[in-house]
Amino acid sequence: MTSSEKSLSTDKILLTARILGYGGALPFLGGAIAASQQIAILGLSSAFLLLSYGAVILSFLGGLHWGRVITTPRVDGRFDFAWLIWSVCPSLLGWAALMLPVKIGAVVLSLCFLAALQIDLKLIREKIWPTWMWPLRLHLSLTAVASLTSLIIS
């Protein structure tokens, strides 16, 4: 693969990640608006639906680490148990947040999103993940936290 082909491939990945990432932020924004107006969606509380979406996306963030650990062996040949353990924590914490009152669940999820952002920043700084992920992760995490925070202050 030539350098121009590699650059084009990276550009396509970045564009696709942005489209999918920002598209995935729409349920956070829509959920926050619906919850602020106390609009039920299909007979369900929009606040709980927003909380549920947060738990699903948090689980997805953990899945990124699971995939990275099992597909990218360490240079020294050791298996990275700590990262694999971390990869399931977001799913478990998101699930637990769904069993809490909405405002408390929103606090738990918001803190988890901020923690996941810091952990991912470490991987970006260490060049394990590409630098283009930083602004995307920052924007999407702040959107999630702001949307969940709207449940706390309402």
Side-chain angles (χ1 to χ4, degrees), residues 52-111:
S52 299
Y53 187 68
V56 167
I57 296 302
L58 191 64
S59 180
F60 170 79
L61 293 178
L64 292 175
H65 292 276
W66 179 279
R68 180 183 57 79
V69 168
I70 64 171
T71 60
T72 310
R74 287 174 41 153
V75 176
D76 60 11
R78 293 180 25 221
F79 189 72
D80 210 336
F81 287 103
W83 282 110
L84 199 59
I85 291 168
W86 159 248
S87 75
V88 298
C89 289
S91 301
L92 296 173
L93 292 166
W95 174 69
L98 294 176
M99 293 183 257
L100 300 170
V102 169
K103 289 185 180 198
I104 297 171
V107 169
V108 169
L109 287 177
S110 294
L111 293 173

Side-chain angles (χ1 to χ4, degrees), residues 21-37 39 41 46 49-50 53-54 57 139-148 150-151:
Y22 290 120
L26 293 176
F28 278 115
L29 299 171
I33 292 167
S36 73
Q37 302 300 310
I39 298 170
I41 300 171
S46 53
L49 290 174
L50 175 56
Y53 187 68
I57 296 302
H139 298 157
L140 296 175
S141 294
L142 293 179
T143 300
V145 169
S147 298
L148 291 164
S150 74
L151 296 177

